[in-house]
Amino acid sequence: MDVHSGTFDPNDVSWQGLTLTPAAAAHIRELVNRQPDMQGLRLGVKQTGCAGFGYVLDTVTQPEQEDLLFETDGAKLYVSRKAMPFIDGTVVDYVRDGLNQIFKFHNPKAQHECGCGESFGVQAE
């Protein structure tokens, strides 16, 4: 996994990073192949749901200056530095769940998840 970000602020904490499973990387590459102007996906968080935070995935045609890039086998996952305290160390997977295929997030920072799995909470540091 390569980590790129332009310039790092020396005051930034050291991140563990995010990991894409082979299935997640393959699906991102497939999405990019279908949309020529797309460079990858951006993973973020927003306050939502019954547990506090939800994951947000968006397509990226132009990375933001603050984005960190996590690349696995040519699949690019962009993450805002602001989201890193909530999702650092997360493994992103793409799985078949019955008839559905979805991204799953294995987040070591999540202290609890809601019953439907759509939102998560973190403990204040």
Side-chain angles (χ1 to χ4, degrees):
M1 174 173 63
D2 296 321
V3 180
H4 310 277
S5 71
T7 59
F8 274 92
D9 180 338
N11 297 320
D12 278 356
V13 295
S14 179
W15 303 115
Q16 293 177 22
L18 277 74
T19 303
L20 293 170
T21 66
H27 188 66
I28 291 172
R29 286 192 309 271
E30 181 181 318
L31 292 172
V32 169
N33 287 337
R34 285 191 232 155
Q35 299 179 44
D37 61 336
M38 184 176 155
Q39 292 189 26
L41 290 179
R42 178 177 292 108
L43 176 60
V45 295
K46 68 177 181 176
Q47 287 192 312
T48 187
C50 50
F53 295 95
Y55 300 103
V56 179
L57 278 173
D58 292 309
T59 60
V60 174
T61 56
Q62 183 65 34
E64 300 291 329
Q65 185 176 1
E66 70 185 38
D67 284 345
L68 298 175
L69 171 61
F70 300 94
E71 186 172 356
T72 302
D73 297 328
K76 296 178 180 179
L77 181 67
Y78 296 90
V79 179
S80 165
R81 289 176 192 263
K82 293 175 187 167
M84 286 301 289
F86 304 102
I87 59 176
D88 187 33
T90 295
V91 175
V92 180
D93 197 5
Y94 189 73
V95 298
R96 182 179 301 264
D97 188 7
L99 297 176
N100 299 316
Q101 296 180 19
I102 57 173
F103 283 101
K104 289 274 189 180
F105 306 97
H106 306 284
N107 183 350
K109 299 222 177 243
Q111 297 292 314
H112 58 277
E113 294 181 346
C114 68
C116 64
E118 292 296 319
S119 62
F120 67 98
V122 295
Q123 185 173 5
E125 294 187 14

